[in-house]
Amino acid sequence: MRKPYIAANWKMNKTIEETEEFINSFLPLVNDVSDVDISIAAPFTSLGAASRLLKSSNVILAAQNIFYEEKGAYTGEISPGMLKSAGCSSVIIGHSERRQYFSETDDIVNRKIKIARKSGLDVILCIGESLEEREADKTFEVLDMQLAGSLKDMPLDGMTIAYEPIWAIGTGKTATKEQANEAHTYIREWLMKYKEGADAVRIQYGGSVTPDNIESLMSQPEVDGALVGGASLKPDSFAKLVLSARIK
Ligand code: PGA
């Protein structure tokens, strides 16, 4: 049995003050939860404040992106060392918004995963197909390519995979539990075929997860958690998601 893992992806939301307000309200709602892993991927500017408030809590601090070099002339980028010194122990890599708006390829994602793992940061790797790809029956082909490219020469320790069908992100259109489980099963089989330790890897579902649909998604054997955007922005809604994921 894999421990459920619920992760918040705040995207480009929350100032430092809003981050502090969220965490102060959220922590008391989940402070007795030890059977679910919980993380919050805050914007870079909020990491320092979040880290101070999350210290010695049961919530992991994550970043939403990383650069694939350790230091140097890369204006505007953030290195793994910077993330670690800001208090992060995890990072989201390859989110579809990064792929779509910032032209991140599987090769770039692979370089980012390599440096993150080398620095001891855990990684949530996001993969998933677009609507056109799903309608053209290319879902598995896309997952194959993304997994092979992103995980090239990388072992699986420290890795979580988030299956996020692009058509479900921020649209209110969730994959059915059967669609989610089918894709997760495919990912699990791919990992089993090509990597060691695949059984232990958590596979999260992401895309319009809410307190209303999480139980149905989590009822599926291959759905080990969720990566949540919109519904993670309010403390009570994110706490509900965490509490729904508890082992029954
Ligand atoms: P959403 O975003 O929950 O708002 O659909 C999920 C994500 O992009 O990680």
Side-chain angles (χ1 to χ4, degrees), residues 7 20 23 32 47 51 54 60 70 75 88 106 110 114-115 133 145 151 166 176 199 209 212 218 225 236:
E20 288 169 341
I23 294 174
D32 66 337
L47 292 176
S51 157
L54 294 178
I60 299 160
E70 268 157 29
T75 303
C88 289
D106 289 323
N110 179 245
K114 281 184 174 148
I115 200 149
E133 289 162 342
M145 259 169 38
L151 292 174
I166 298 169
T176 63
D199 204 35
V209 175
D212 293 332
M218 293 284 298
D236 50 340

Coordinates of all heavy atoms in Angstrom, one line a residue, residues 7 20 23 32 47 51 54 60 70 75 88 106 110 114-115 133 145 151 166 176 199 209 212 218 225 236:
A7 N -0.8 17.1 -3.1 CA 0.1 18.2 -3.3 C -0.7 19.4 -3.8 O -1.6 19.3 -4.7 CB 1.1 17.8 -4.3
E20 N 1.1 33.5 4.2 CA 1.2 33.3 5.7 C -0.2 33.1 6.3 O -0.5 32.2 7.1 CB 1.8 34.6 6.3 CG 3.3 34.7 6.1 CD 3.9 36.0 6.4 OE1 3.2 37.0 6.6 OE2 5.1 36.0 6.6
I23 N -1.3 29.5 5.5 CA -0.7 28.4 6.3 C -1.1 28.5 7.7 O -1.4 27.5 8.4 CB 0.9 28.6 6.2 CG1 1.3 28.2 4.8 CG2 1.6 27.6 7.2 CD1 2.8 28.5 4.5
D32 N -3.1 16.7 12.8 CA -3.0 15.3 13.3 C -3.0 14.3 12.1 O -3.1 13.1 12.4 CB -4.2 15.0 14.2 CG -5.5 15.0 13.4 OD1 -5.6 15.7 12.3 OD2 -6.5 14.4 13.8
L47 N 8.5 31.4 -0.7 CA 9.1 30.2 -0.1 C 9.7 30.4 1.3 O 9.5 29.6 2.2 CB 10.2 29.6 -1.0 CG 9.6 29.0 -2.3 CD1 10.8 28.6 -3.2 CD2 8.7 27.8 -2.1
S51 N 8.4 28.5 4.5 CA 9.4 27.6 5.1 C 9.4 27.9 6.7 O 9.4 27.0 7.5 CB 10.7 27.8 4.5 OG 11.7 27.4 5.3
L54 N 6.2 26.5 8.1 CA 6.0 25.0 8.0 C 7.0 24.2 8.7 O 6.9 23.0 8.8 CB 6.0 24.6 6.5 CG 4.9 25.2 5.6 CD1 5.1 24.7 4.2 CD2 3.5 24.7 6.1
I60 N 5.1 19.4 3.6 CA 6.4 19.6 2.9 C 6.3 20.8 2.0 O 5.3 21.1 1.4 CB 6.5 18.3 1.9 CG1 6.6 17.0 2.7 CG2 7.7 18.5 1.0 CD1 6.2 15.8 1.9
E70 N 23.7 24.7 -11.8 CA 23.8 25.0 -10.4 C 24.0 26.4 -10.1 O 23.6 26.9 -9.0 CB 25.0 24.2 -9.9 CG 24.5 22.8 -9.3 CD 25.6 21.8 -9.2 OE1 26.8 22.1 -9.1 OE2 25.2 20.6 -9.3
T75 N 19.8 34.7 -16.1 CA 19.0 35.8 -15.5 C 17.5 35.3 -15.3 O 16.9 34.7 -16.2 CB 18.9 37.0 -16.4 OG1 20.3 37.4 -16.6 CG2 18.1 38.1 -15.8
C88 N 12.9 24.3 0.6 CA 12.2 23.3 -0.2 C 12.8 21.9 -0.1 O 14.0 21.8 -0.1 CB 12.2 23.7 -1.7 SG 11.3 25.1 -2.1
D106 N 10.8 17.5 -23.3 CA 11.1 16.3 -22.4 C 12.6 16.4 -22.0 O 13.0 15.9 -21.0 CB 10.8 15.0 -23.0 CG 9.3 14.8 -23.1 OD1 8.6 15.2 -22.1 OD2 8.8 14.3 -24.1
N110 N 14.1 16.4 -18.4 CA 15.0 15.4 -17.9 C 16.2 16.1 -17.2 O 16.7 15.6 -16.2 CB 15.5 14.6 -19.2 CG 16.5 13.5 -18.8 OD1 17.6 13.6 -19.3 ND2 16.1 12.5 -18.0
K114 N 17.3 15.6 -13.3 CA 18.7 15.2 -12.9 C 19.3 16.1 -11.9 O 19.8 15.6 -10.9 CB 19.6 15.1 -14.2 CG 19.3 13.8 -15.0 CD 20.2 13.7 -16.2 CE 19.9 12.3 -16.8 NZ 20.2 12.4 -18.3
I115 N 19.2 17.4 -12.1 CA 19.9 18.2 -11.1 C 19.1 18.3 -9.8 O 19.7 18.4 -8.7 CB 20.1 19.6 -11.7 CG1 21.2 20.3 -10.9 CG2 18.9 20.5 -11.7 CD1 22.1 21.3 -11.6
E133 N -4.8 15.1 -28.7 CA -4.1 13.8 -28.6 C -5.0 12.7 -28.1 O -5.0 11.6 -28.6 CB -2.8 14.0 -27.7 CG -1.8 14.8 -28.4 CD -0.7 15.4 -27.4 OE1 -0.9 15.4 -26.2 OE2 0.4 15.8 -27.9
M145 N 6.2 8.7 -24.7 CA 7.3 9.7 -25.1 C 7.7 10.5 -23.9 O 8.9 10.7 -23.7 CB 6.8 10.6 -26.2 CG 7.3 10.2 -27.5 SD 6.4 11.0 -28.8 CE 6.3 12.7 -28.2
L151 N 12.5 10.7 -18.0 CA 13.1 9.8 -17.1 C 14.4 9.1 -17.6 O 14.9 8.2 -17.0 CB 12.1 8.7 -16.6 CG 11.0 9.3 -15.7 CD1 10.0 8.2 -15.4 CD2 11.5 9.9 -14.4
I166 N -4.2 17.4 -20.0 CA -4.2 18.9 -20.1 C -5.7 19.4 -20.2 O -6.0 20.5 -19.7 CB -3.4 19.3 -21.3 CG1 -1.9 18.9 -21.1 CG2 -3.5 20.8 -21.6 CD1 -1.0 19.0 -22.3
T176 N -12.8 10.9 -15.8 CA -13.6 9.9 -15.0 C -12.6 9.1 -14.2 O -11.5 9.0 -14.6 CB -14.5 9.0 -15.9 OG1 -13.6 8.2 -16.7 CG2 -15.4 9.8 -16.8
D199 N 7.0 -0.2 -8.1 CA 5.8 -0.4 -7.3 C 5.6 0.7 -6.2 O 4.5 0.9 -5.8 CB 6.0 -1.8 -6.6 CG 4.7 -2.4 -6.3 OD1 3.7 -2.1 -7.0 OD2 4.6 -3.0 -5.2
V209 N -9.4 18.6 -9.7 CA -9.7 17.8 -8.5 C -10.3 18.7 -7.4 O -9.8 19.9 -7.2 CB -8.4 17.2 -7.8 CG1 -8.8 16.4 -6.5 CG2 -7.8 16.2 -8.8
D212 N -15.3 17.4 -4.0 CA -16.5 16.6 -4.4 C -16.1 15.4 -5.2 O -16.8 14.4 -5.3 CB -17.4 17.4 -5.3 CG -18.1 18.5 -4.4 OD1 -18.3 18.2 -3.2 OD2 -18.4 19.5 -5.0
M218 N -9.8 8.7 -5.8 CA -8.9 7.9 -4.9 C -9.4 6.5 -4.7 O -8.6 5.7 -4.1 CB -8.7 8.7 -3.6 CG -8.1 10.0 -3.6 SD -6.3 9.9 -3.8 CE -5.8 9.1 -2.3
G225 N -3.0 9.7 -5.1 CA -3.0 11.0 -4.6 C -3.4 12.0 -5.6 O -3.9 11.6 -6.7
D236 N -9.6 25.6 3.8 CA -10.6 24.6 4.2 C -10.8 23.6 3.0 O -11.0 22.4 3.2 CB -11.9 25.2 4.6 CG -12.5 26.2 3.7 OD1 -11.7 26.8 2.9 OD2 -13.7 26.5 3.7

